[in-house]
Amino acid sequence: MNKAVLSAAAIAALGITAAFPAMAAADSAGSGNLQTTLNPVPTNHVTGSGMASVTLNGDRATVDVTVSGLLAGVPHAMHIHVDGQGICPPASTATQLNGHTAINTTDGMKSYGMIGTSLTTTGDTTPASALAVTRFPMGSSFHYHRTVTVTSDVVANLKAGKAAIVVHGIDYDGSGKFTNVLGASELDPKLPQVATAPALCGVLSAMPSGGAATGSGPAGHGSTDIDLLAAGGAMVAAAGGTWLLRRRTTQGF
């Protein structure tokens, strides 16, 4: 896809979180281990899968994500979403997009909420980093590992079991590239809908004591098998890529 389409106008899609729910889960010291399986968002014709974990220590979160089977050669925005219902969008939330049934950014946001943390590979991790071209994972398979500082809002959602990790960018028509099959994105008509639509989603929950270990590696390198990770309880991470969004008062992705 021509990277020029990911224009600065897309930054306005970001939803900045404003309030957070009551604190729950995790221990009183403010630490905890959470994990999730990243499943395809229904109706969006996604065949990929993934796993993620977050180790929380005060306001520091070590995030590990491994995915495979996504659209190759394009950037995949990835975020911790908060202040929603704490669920991934069900098929019933899908709408008609250019004559096809699919879930767009706005549909998904009603379930998993707004952006709390941008999972960039380097630099700033706030919602403002939607313009951080070259700082989001790219490709069909990638590994991400980074320790970031998160807001009290994100901490509260993580402890309450209402934070979700969402990976964006879909290949709805199986063409192997971003196309206009679903029309233009509701966030910015310059962007194709498939570029902003959610691909994988998982709600983070407390990990049993002695649960899956995490690993790390140099950003943008490494590979592993998802099933092997599940069996061995290990997560390796690192990535690089690009992406951006557009902000509207009542929207975020």
Side-chain angles (χ1 to χ4, degrees), residues 53 62-65 144-146 212-217 229 233-238:
S53 72
T62 298
V63 183
D64 285 273
V65 181
Y144 178 93
H145 173 85
R146 192 177 181 193
T214 60
S216 63
L229 285 175
M235 286 187 163
V236 185

Side-chain angles (χ1 to χ4, degrees), residues 49-155:
S49 61
M51 299 173 66
S53 72
V54 173
T55 300
L56 184 65
N57 186 3
D59 65 352
R60 299 285 286 170
T62 298
V63 183
D64 285 273
V65 181
T66 301
V67 305
S68 66
L70 297 181
L71 178 58
V74 299
H76 293 281
M78 186 166 64
H79 312 94
I80 298 176
H81 284 258
V82 296
D83 294 338
Q85 299 180 52
I87 62 173
C88 289
S92 60
T93 63
T95 53
Q96 289 297 300
L97 304 172
N98 204 33
H100 301 277
T101 301
I103 293 173
N104 65 17
T105 296
T106 302
D107 299 327
M109 184 186 70
K110 296 171 185 176
S111 296
Y112 49 65
M114 314 294 274
I115 291 175
T117 304
S118 296
L119 296 179
T120 55
T121 56
T122 60
D124 176 68
T125 59
T126 70
S129 275
L131 267 179
V133 178
T134 77
R135 294 199 289 119
F136 278 103
M138 174 179 279
S140 61
S141 300
F142 59 80
H143 310 289
Y144 178 93
H145 173 85
R146 192 177 181 193
T147 298
V148 301
T149 299
V150 295
T151 66
S152 58
D153 196 14
V154 173
V155 170

